[in-house]
Amino acid sequence: MTAELVGPLSATVAEGVRRRIDRLLADFIDDHRLPVTEPGVEEGFGLLREFVVDGGKRIRPLLCYWGWRGAGGDAEGLPAVTAGAAVELYHAGLLIHDDIMDASDLRRGRPTLHRRLGASTAILLGVLVQAWADELMAQATGDPHVRALFNRLRAEVISGQYLDILAEPGEERARLIVRYKTAKYTVERPLQIGGALAGAAPDLLAAYSRFGLPLGEAFQLRDDVLGVFGDTAVTGKPVLDDLREGKQTVLIAHTLEAATPPQRAHLRRWLGDQDLTEERAAELRQIIVDTGALTRVEAAIAALLEQSLAGLAACPIAPDAREALAHFADRLTCRAS
Amino acid sequence: MTAELVGPLSATVAEGVRRRIDRLLADFIDDHRLPVTEPGVEEGFGLLREFVVDGGKRIRPLLCYWGWRGAGGDAEGLPAVTAGAAVELYHAGLLIHDDIMDASDLRRGRPTLHRRLGASTAILLGVLVQAWADELMAQATGDPHVRALFNRLRAEVISGQYLDILAEPGEERARLIVRYKTAKYTVERPLQIGGALAGAAPDLLAAYSRFGLPLGEAFQLRDDVLGVFGDTAVTGKPVLDDLREGKQTVLIAHTLEAATPPQRAHLRRWLGDQDLTEERAAELRQIIVDTGALTRVEAAIAALLEQSLAGLAACPIAPDAREALAHFADRLTCRAS
């Protein structure tokens, strides 16, 4: 099924959208230099620019673009690209703050901003790009419906992060976090923002939810698997981070649920240990495999992808948008992405 | 001079505006409960609500209101009150983050949010109210000129905070920080936002700058003095905080400049000491007085207030707005405020 979904057209379009997002963000930032000239501030500004412009898979802008196209928007899609860039700016601000909260050293293969500039400066720069996001969204549109979706997106992702910080264990909680932090924030709302910009009817926006929510959930499950079994060269972050952080993912919830008492004791002892060694991590990975949790999550990813693609098939949209979104869904949930 | 400026009319109006801001913010927040119901999140939300609704002198909203009135806006001034509430929400978000950066324990006489909820949650809640600020500003107006002023306000205050973090000593740097963190952010831009909402001509907005910038500077100098010599019962924050933090204020710059070598050594040793005792603080205060720095700052406050009132006298605005702004200027810079 996979091969036929990977159309060269949608890949070319994606490449074009990514280039436009990079250019638009670079121009916007260059246009928003801070009013003070001073080496310390200039240095931070330069690192911020690099972080925003030269990084990220641009998942949300691409979904925004195809949400627009699916609703009959033109191929150029300037409003959707601009709104997508705004969402991406907001996301950059969240990532800067996330890395502080998680005390992460690397992001996109480079030292995190707070490691280079200190936590206070990184908090400020995160806040700055979030204000920019707002400004850029206002450039994209004054449509109150789109603004309402953007407002909801922001409240939802913060809710998901809040639940995440509370760190209650269990599958139910883990799935709720996935819903807010990823399914709604990364997939459903960007699609709907693009759709609403092109004047999509409520029916289409609801269909986008039926496609987007399971896809977003599958994407997060894939990300959780990669966070434990992935390759730093691909993910850009050390593969020990999630285990050291003791992230309460669905994968970990399944593992704990199916673990034998000695396995569970071992997990409880080492998950979340800041100084976890590679050897201990290998033991934890083995338990995750032995309990069947990995297989269970892989099966869930496959089922969610199927559900998502069924939702997509029922979307009343043009064939090229459908093909592109199917391709995209496949990429988001496949093993190597 | 002071007594005649304190008109009962403007005080009554101020009280009314404050009540409307509180009500508007309370309604807005109640209308923006997070989409997840869970005790931990509800608790944080409640503390956030309390922090935003029940606190602050509402300086920026009042300036916004009088900026509106000065430009011929009606007495009710709904757009100005709404925009003022938006600026206040943004400010609340900044304060939450500020307290994390400064590791402050108290704000407005209560434990800071990060002390009660942890730094990660406080970062999130700060980000949340900043997004709300944006939403509320969009409710107030879609006028691109006003939005541009709000965007500038945000970039300016962040620039000021950035300079502050870099902590370069000296009077010149301290004054630059005051300009961005207070003069523009707290006084000039709120006045101009109110004015622009009422369709003020560029001349009036420029006149607001001539009134607002020296007033804002004087206000910050007063705040710096209160930060060292003030009373916790009045300021709501421990009076040792600024000394313990080693804040590089104009007051401290003057002190270091005029200090004898032993005094300077004493200052360098104890300013910024996290465990500074009340006895040591008293010694530092004595040095600040003995060097003449306090007198010099008091004289600067008086001169700036005069300059500000001269700017106000030249403002082409209605007498009631002028009287109210003069009253306000006096309150902002007087010893006990």
Side-chain angles (χ1 to χ4, degrees), chain B residues 133-150:
Chain B
D134 188 32
E135 188 174 341
L136 195 51
M137 188 57 88
Q139 282 182 22
T141 183
D143 180 345
H145 189 192
V146 177
R147 303 279 309 173
L149 286 167
F150 185 49

Side-chain angles (χ1 to χ4, degrees), chain A residues 34-36 38 40-41 44-45 90 94 97 100-101 117 120-121 123-125 127-128 130-131 134-135 138 147 151 154-156 158-159 161-163 165-166 168 173 176 180, chain B residues 34-36 38 40-41 44-45 90 94 97 100-101 117 120-121 123-125 127-128 130-131 134-135 138 147 151 154-156 158-159 161-163 165-166 168 173 176 180:
Chain A
L34 292 173
V36 293
E38 115 89 53
V41 174
F45 198 89
Y90 188 73
L94 285 188
H97 289 167
I100 301 171
M101 298 178 198
L117 300 166
S120 292
T121 302
I123 291 177
L124 280 185
L125 292 178
V127 161
L128 178 66
Q130 286 164 9
D134 177 40
E135 190 175 339
R147 304 279 308 173
N151 291 334
R154 293 188 284 192
E156 284 161 353
I158 289 168
S159 300
Q161 289 188 288
Y162 202 150
L163 290 174
I165 286 172
L166 293 175
E168 302 272 341
R173 174 56 65 97
L176 195 62
Y180 285 107
Chain B
L34 291 173
V36 292
E38 114 90 49
V41 174
F45 198 87
Y90 188 73
L94 284 188
H97 288 169
I100 301 171
M101 297 179 200
L117 300 166
S120 292
T121 303
I123 291 177
L124 280 185
L125 292 178
V127 161
L128 179 66
Q130 286 165 7
D134 188 32
E135 188 174 341
R147 303 279 309 173
N151 292 334
R154 294 190 283 193
E156 284 161 353
I158 289 168
S159 300
Q161 289 187 288
Y162 201 152
L163 290 175
I165 286 172
L166 293 175
E168 303 271 340
R173 174 55 65 98
L176 195 62
Y180 285 107

Side-chain angles (χ1 to χ4, degrees), chain A:
Chain A
M1 184 172 186
T2 303
E4 75 212 46
L5 289 173
V6 184
L9 169 69
S10 63
T12 309
V13 171
E15 204 32 55
V17 169
R18 278 197 199 97
R19 263 203 308 271
R20 287 172 66 197
I21 292 287
D22 289 352
R23 162 66 43 205
L24 203 152
L25 290 174
D27 288 348
F28 183 92
I29 293 176
D30 290 338
D31 208 38
H32 285 75
R33 305 206 79 82
L34 292 173
V36 293
T37 52
E38 115 89 53
V41 174
E42 304 268 327
E43 187 208 347
F45 198 89
L47 289 173
L48 178 66
R49 186 188 190 281
E50 182 183 278
F51 176 73
V52 172
V53 173
D54 183 24
K57 295 188 283 281
R58 311 302 189 200
I59 295 170
R60 294 160 199 82
L62 282 166
L63 286 165
C64 201
Y65 177 80
W66 285 112
W68 158 272
R69 288 288 298 275
D74 65 26
E76 199 195 345
L78 182 61
V81 171
T82 309
V87 172
E88 196 69 2
L89 261 182
Y90 188 73
H91 185 60
L94 285 188
L95 289 182
I96 293 168
H97 289 167
D98 256 11
D99 287 337
I100 301 171
M101 298 178 198
D102 297 345
S104 300
D105 295 321
L106 284 179
R107 165 71 69 182
R108 298 174 181 165
R110 284 192 286 256
T112 47
L113 282 189
H114 69 101
R115 283 276 172 261
R116 300 188 63 165
L117 300 166
S120 292
T121 302
I123 291 177
L124 280 185
L125 292 178
V127 161
L128 178 66
V129 295
Q130 286 164 9
W132 285 346
D134 177 40
E135 190 175 339
L136 195 51
M137 188 57 88
Q139 282 182 21
T141 183
D143 180 346
H145 189 192
V146 177
R147 304 279 308 173
L149 286 167
F150 184 50
N151 291 334
R152 228 172 286 164
L153 169 150
R154 293 188 284 192
E156 284 161 353
V157 68
I158 289 168
S159 300
Q161 289 188 288
Y162 202 150
L163 290 174
D164 204 6
I165 286 172
L166 293 175
E168 302 272 341
E171 185 192 344
E172 198 190 336
R173 174 56 65 97
R175 292 188 88 112
L176 195 62
I177 293 170
V178 169
R179 182 173 175 87
Y180 285 107
K181 268 186 75 168
T182 313
K184 290 175 114 23
Y185 169 65
T186 301
V187 183
E188 183 196 32
R189 297 306 182 195
L191 268 172
Q192 291 183 327
I193 285 173
L197 278 167
D203 271 8
L204 178 52
L205 297 183
Y208 279 169
S209 294
R210 286 189 295 273
F211 162 64
L213 290 174
L215 171 60
E217 200 178 331
F219 170 54
Q220 183 60 58
L221 294 182
R222 168 61 58 217
D223 198 55
D224 292 344
V225 169
L226 290 174
V228 174
F229 294 94
D231 176 355
T232 304
V234 176
T235 63
K237 55 184 182 182
V239 80
L240 286 173
D241 268 14
D242 279 13
L243 294 172
R244 282 187 175 158
E245 196 192 312
K247 221 172 154 183
Q248 297 290 338
T249 62
V250 172
L251 179 68
I252 296 299
H254 286 339
T255 306
L256 284 164
E257 198 189 308
T260 62
Q263 284 175 328
R264 193 172 297 128
H266 202 70
L267 290 164
R268 291 246 155 86
R269 167 67 189 85
W270 292 109
L271 267 181
D273 186 296
Q274 292 288 322
D275 302 315
L276 190 76
T277 60
E278 186 45 65
E279 284 94 331
R280 288 284 176 210
E283 290 168 16
L284 296 181
R285 285 189 200 104
Q286 194 57 51
I287 295 174
I288 294 169
V289 173
D290 291 346
T291 51
L294 180 61
T295 308
R296 210 175 142 193
V297 168
E298 289 291 352
I301 293 172
L304 286 162
L305 178 59
E306 202 177 307
Q307 188 188 337
S308 165
L309 292 174
L312 180 62
C315 268
I317 58 176
D320 56 349
R322 195 193 321 276
E323 189 238 282
L325 286 169
H327 174 201
F328 203 73
D330 189 67
R331 288 291 304 275
L332 278 182
T333 54
C334 77
R335 287 165 183 277
S337 85

